[in-house]
């Protein structure tokens, strides 16, 4: 019976021995299971496996991809069609994790999908569907763009699931902190007044006192500056501290020794300070015999080329998060040495002249302070508003286009408007200011004048006469609330303009002068809300208006 049943499938030879039949039966039991298993494998095996995708690549490309799989530097990019939009914004923060983290990554990736737009969800889903093999890495670049030397056009490879997790780079964390600061400043406009142990900004001298206060506190909480160490004195890390250009040198010195805002880790920095002194360049580099500005220009170019080659940060932002400070008249001209320095970088200048390409949205106007010592002893003070007998006062050299007009109309012409080219013997300059209601501050060769700060120090309401001048800290201070702005054409009507200001209004303006002058006071060491901190705050505000992306940098 047994032999007949098997004969239905395998005909029996005409002659056979019992031992031969036994061998065939054993062979049958071996082959039948093998055939069944092969059939099942053929039916169930997917035809679009990940390996099939990779094996279709040219041999040279496959080899390159295999090499890239062993590299930890290539972090994310060649993806299925439709996924590149997602990758261009996400892969720069991809975290390459070990295989034991894969399950945790899968859970987080699934959670994050709900926050993505539909096309992004579809792209991620496609990536997950293609994960059929355990590839350790990918042929990608840090910013998520395809490396053209690794894959041919229109080819795709599978993205392993563990690449889906996003991590934040140090730059991402910096930008996230800045975004929180922006939100806090906006909310402060409609919030309650913040308390402060040292000073609470309040009053019409500020465009928005609450927003300024919150911004200042945010600066104190997180703002970090990296000072490039390259360069040697006297041109670098040095500057005049006892002259009309004193803010240039004093700021350089304070930044070099400051511990609160300075960071020695450039990856933690919000901005990068270029510590050169234009005033020292004029003294030690400029050729007075040939009047050639070229050496100064080459010095600036060489320095920025040096730090750009040594560090990646200048090229990352094209200088947008870098700043310079200059009080010399030639500060703007020095910045023209490099297009990016002028157009992109934050330029903190005393000579804040819009006709010389000063941009208030990007650049910072800083005060010109003529310091003879490192102390303000005897420079600040003056009687109350009711005890000032002189209507207006000016004394100074005749240079530039505005001062000759002022002297022509008012020198020796009126007892109430005391205008002098040279003060009479025995008359003290500061005492004249302290006894005057208004101090006339005309521009000279350049728009800035130290008389503005001198007027504030002496409790005298400044009268600004200039063209194209942006007063210091105009991003925060509302100058028209504590000063008088007169055009050059209005100089003949100067007395009429000043006498038309009521006594009550003058007293208000003078009180505001006393309140805001703390922002112009020089202190060593610096004190909160003083001129050093106000310069930093203006730089901080400009940095808040810039978003730096490593995506943009790596794409070039």
């Amino acid at each position: 019976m047994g032999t007949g049943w098997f004969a239905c499938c395998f005909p029996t030879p005409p002659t056979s021995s019992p031992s031969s039949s036994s061998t065939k039966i054993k062979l049958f039991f071996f082959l039948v299971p093998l055939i069944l298993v092969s059939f099942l494998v053929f039916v169930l095996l997917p035809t679009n496996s990940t390996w099939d995708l990779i094996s279709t690549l040219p041999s040279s490309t496959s080899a390159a991809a295999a090499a890239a799989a062993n590299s930890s530097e290539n972090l994310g990019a060649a993806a299925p069609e439709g996924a590149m939009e997602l990758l261009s914004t996400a892969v720069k923060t991809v975290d390459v994790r070990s295989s034991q983290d894969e399950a945790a990554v899968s859970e987080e990736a699934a959670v994050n999908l709900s926050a993505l737009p539909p096309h992004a969800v579809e792209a991620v889903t496609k990536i997950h569907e293609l994960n059929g093999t355990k590839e350790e890495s990918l042929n990608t670049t840090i910013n998520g763009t395809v490396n053209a030397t690794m894959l041919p056009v229109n080819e795709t490879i599978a993205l392993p699931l563990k690449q889906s997790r996003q991590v934040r780079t140090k730059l991402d964390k910096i930008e996230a902190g800045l975004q929180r600061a922006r939100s806090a400043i906006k909310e402060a406009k409609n919030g309650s007044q913040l308390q402060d142990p040292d000073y609470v900004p309040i009053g019409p001298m500020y465009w928005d006192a609450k927003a300024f206060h919150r911004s200042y506190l945010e600066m104190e909480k997180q703002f970090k500056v990296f000072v490039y160490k390259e360069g040697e004195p006297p041109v670098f890390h040095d500057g005049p501290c006892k002259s009309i250009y004193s803010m240039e040198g004093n700021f350089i010195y304070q930044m070099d020794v400051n511990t609160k805002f300075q960071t020695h880790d450039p990856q933690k920095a919000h901005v990068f300070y270029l510590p050169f002194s234009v005033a020292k360049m004029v003294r030690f580099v400029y050729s007075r015999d040939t009047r050639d500005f070229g050496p100064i220009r080459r010095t600036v170019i060489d320095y920025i080329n040096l730090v750009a080659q040594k560090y990646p940060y200048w090229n990352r932002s094209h200088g947008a998060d870098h700043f310079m400070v200059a009080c010399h008249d030639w500060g703007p001209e020095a910045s023209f040495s490099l297009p990016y320095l002028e157009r992109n970088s934050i330029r903190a200048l005393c000579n804040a002249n819009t006709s010389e390409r000063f941009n208030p949205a990007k650049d910072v106007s800083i005060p010109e302070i003529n310091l003879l010592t490192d102390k303000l002893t005897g420079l600040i003070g003056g009687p109350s508003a009711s005890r000032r007998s002189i209507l207006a006062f000016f004394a100074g050299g005749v240079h530039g286009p505005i001062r000759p007009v002022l002297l022509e109309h008012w020198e020796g012409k009126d007892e109430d408007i005391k205008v002098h080219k040279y003060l009479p013997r025995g008359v003290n300059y500061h005492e004249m200011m302290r006894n005057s209601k208004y101090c006339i501050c005309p521009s000279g060769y350049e728009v800035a004048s130290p008389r503005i700060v001198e007027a504030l120090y002496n409790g005298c309401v400044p009268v600004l006469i200039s063209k194209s001048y942006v007063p210091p800290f105009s991003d925060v201070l509302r100058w028209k609330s504590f000063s008088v702005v007169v055009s050059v054409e209005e100089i003949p009507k100067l007395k009429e303009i000043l006498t038309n200001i009521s006594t009550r209004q003058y007293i208000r303006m003078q009180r505001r002068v006393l309140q805001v002058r703390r922002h112009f006071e020089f202190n060593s060491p610096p004190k909160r809300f003083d001129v050093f901190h106000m310069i930093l705050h203006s730089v901080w505000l400009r940095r808040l208006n810039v978003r730096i992306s490593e995506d943009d940098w790596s794409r070039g």
Side-chain angles (χ1 to χ4, degrees):
M1 289 294 294
T3 304
W5 186 84
F6 284 112
C8 296
C9 295
F10 300 99
T12 304
T15 60
S16 64
S17 67
S19 60
S20 174
S21 299
S22 175
T23 302
K24 290 179 178 180
I25 291 172
K26 292 179 181 179
L27 180 63
F28 176 82
F29 278 105
F30 173 77
L31 291 174
V32 168
L34 182 62
I35 294 170
L36 291 174
V37 170
S38 299
F39 176 79
L40 291 174
V41 170
F42 177 81
V43 171
L44 298 178
L45 184 65
T47 59
N48 61 336
S49 67
T50 304
W51 174 249
D52 288 336
L53 288 172
I54 298 178
S55 63
T56 59
L57 299 178
S59 58
S60 60
T61 305
S62 299
N70 296 321
S71 172
S72 61
E73 295 178 358
N74 295 326
L75 296 183
E81 185 176 356
M84 289 311 299
E85 183 174 351
L86 170 67
L87 294 176
S88 66
T89 59
V91 174
K92 66 185 176 64
T93 58
V94 164
D95 186 16
V96 180
R97 295 180 177 272
S98 58
S99 58
Q100 58 263 33
D101 294 336
E102 190 164 345
V105 173
S106 300
E107 294 177 4
E108 180 162 333
V111 172
N112 288 339
L113 287 178
S114 62
L116 295 174
H119 66 277
V121 175
E122 182 181 358
V124 174
T125 305
K126 289 180 180 178
I127 293 170
H128 291 176
E129 290 174 350
L130 284 171
N131 270 321
T133 60
K134 293 183 178 180
E135 295 169 296
E136 295 300 325
S137 186
L138 291 174
N139 161 37
T140 55
T141 60
I142 188 66
N143 69 325
T145 56
V146 176
N147 187 338
T149 64
M150 305 297 284
L151 287 177
V153 178
N154 296 327
E155 290 287 1
T156 60
I157 64 173
L159 289 177
L161 180 61
K162 64 184 179 183
Q163 294 288 348
S164 301
R165 181 182 176 94
Q166 297 181 19
V167 297
R168 297 165 67 194
T169 66
K170 290 186 177 181
L171 179 59
D172 292 333
K173 293 178 181 179
I174 288 175
E175 290 298 329
L178 292 174
Q179 182 55 45
R180 289 192 295 271
R182 294 183 193 104
S183 299
I185 294 168
K186 290 180 180 178
E187 292 173 1
K189 294 181 178 181
N190 299 319
S192 58
Q193 183 67 57
L194 299 171
Q195 299 302 310
D196 197 297
D198 294 323
Y199 176 68
V200 177
I202 191 170
M205 307 84 65
Y206 303 98
W207 292 109
D208 191 319
K210 294 178 182 178
F212 164 56
H213 196 188
R214 169 55 70 187
S215 176
Y216 187 91
L217 295 177
E218 290 292 329
M219 176 192 75
E220 288 185 317
K221 182 167 66 175
Q222 62 172 294
F223 193 39
K224 293 299 178 184
V225 179
F226 181 76
V227 181
Y228 286 115
K229 305 304 179 186
E230 287 69 25
E232 298 293 334
V235 173
F236 303 95
H237 299 280
D238 191 15
C241 293
K242 298 177 182 179
S243 75
I244 198 173
Y245 309 125
S246 63
M247 282 315 304
E248 187 173 303
N250 279 294
F251 189 87
I252 291 174
Y253 171 76
Q254 293 298 338
M255 282 310 309
D256 273 339
V257 302
N258 182 273
T259 58
K260 179 176 178 59
F261 294 101
Q262 185 182 168
T263 177
H264 296 289
D265 183 355
Q267 294 192 66
K268 295 181 180 179
H270 296 86
V271 294
F272 300 81
Y273 178 39
L274 303 166
F276 55 75
S277 169
V278 177
K280 286 299 183 77
M281 289 185 194
V282 173
R283 180 177 177 184
F284 293 103
V285 177
Y286 176 68
S287 175
R288 296 185 180 276
D289 295 334
T290 61
R291 297 184 178 275
D292 181 11
F293 196 82
I296 293 180
R297 188 173 290 109
R298 287 191 293 272
T299 300
V300 175
I301 294 173
D302 289 347
Y303 186 75
I304 293 180
N305 282 339
L306 172 65
V307 299
Q309 291 171 7
K310 187 172 182 179
Y311 305 91
Y313 307 106
W314 175 271
N315 290 328
R316 180 180 70 179
S317 66
H318 299 302
D321 53 357
H322 287 60
F323 76 101
M324 60 172 281
V325 175
C327 254
H328 195 278
D329 296 347
W330 292 353
E333 186 67 29
S335 73
F336 300 157
S337 302
L338 280 172
Y340 284 147
L341 181 60
E342 177 215 337
R343 295 199 304 261
N344 294 352
S345 299
I346 303 167
R347 302 178 301 159
L349 305 172
C350 288
N351 187 18
N353 189 343
T354 57
S355 69
E356 295 181 4
R357 291 182 267 180
F358 180 88
N359 180 2
K362 175 187 72 69
D363 300 324
V364 174
S365 175
I366 64 176
E368 193 171 78
I369 304 177
N370 188 12
L371 291 176
L372 300 179
T373 67
D374 59 351
K375 301 292 182 183
L376 296 181
T377 306
L379 297 180
I380 297 179
S384 63
S386 60
R387 296 173 57 191
R388 294 174 180 259
S389 57
I390 302 171
L391 178 63
F393 165 72
F394 168 81
V398 182
H399 54 83
I402 297 177
R403 295 186 185 183
V405 179
L406 177 67
L407 268 71
E408 177 186 351
H409 283 89
W410 295 107
E411 184 181 22
K413 304 289 181 63
D414 194 296
E415 285 297 316
D416 294 327
I417 307 290
K418 296 190 177 295
V419 173
H420 304 274
K421 184 185 302 183
Y422 303 104
L423 278 176
R425 186 182 298 274
V427 177
N428 183 275
Y429 178 80
H430 292 285
E431 287 300 320
M432 289 293 292
M433 276 195 160
R434 293 182 180 184
N435 288 313
S436 300
K437 292 181 172 67
Y438 300 96
C439 290
I440 305 171
C441 307
S443 296
Y445 285 126
E446 301 297 341
V447 292
S449 170
R451 284 169 183 78
I452 298 174
V453 173
E454 291 168 351
L456 298 175
Y457 281 3
N458 289 287
C460 185
V461 176
V463 178
L464 308 183
I465 308 178
S466 63
K467 287 183 176 180
S468 308
Y469 179 51
V470 179
F473 313 134
S474 293
D475 44 14
V476 169
L477 299 178
R478 189 168 163 264
W479 275 84
K480 286 189 175 182
S481 70
F482 59 91
S483 69
V484 180
V485 179
V486 176
S487 67
V488 177
E489 294 74 21
E490 292 175 319
I491 288 177
K493 300 180 180 179
L494 183 58
K495 184 174 182 179
E496 179 184 347
I497 292 171
L498 297 179
T499 54
N500 282 339
I501 298 173
S502 68
T503 301
R504 183 176 181 180
Q505 179 62 15
Y506 159 69
I507 292 174
R508 287 175 179 168
M509 295 173 71
Q510 201 265 349
R511 288 176 179 172
R512 293 166 187 166
V513 164
L514 301 181
Q515 187 172 342
V516 301
R517 73 181 177 191
R518 69 169 58 239
H519 301 316
F520 297 84
E521 292 177 5
F522 169 80
N523 297 294
S524 184
K527 297 179 180 179
R528 296 183 71 217
F529 296 100
D530 69 359
V531 67
F532 171 76
H533 287 93
M534 290 297 289
I535 293 174
L536 271 183
H537 178 262
S538 287
V539 174
W540 156 256
L541 281 184
R542 301 317 186 274
R543 180 61 178 88
L544 283 174
N545 288 332
V546 176
R547 287 182 174 87
I548 307 297
S549 169
E550 281 189 294
D551 277 358
D552 298 334
W553 167 48
S554 54
R555 289 172 190 169

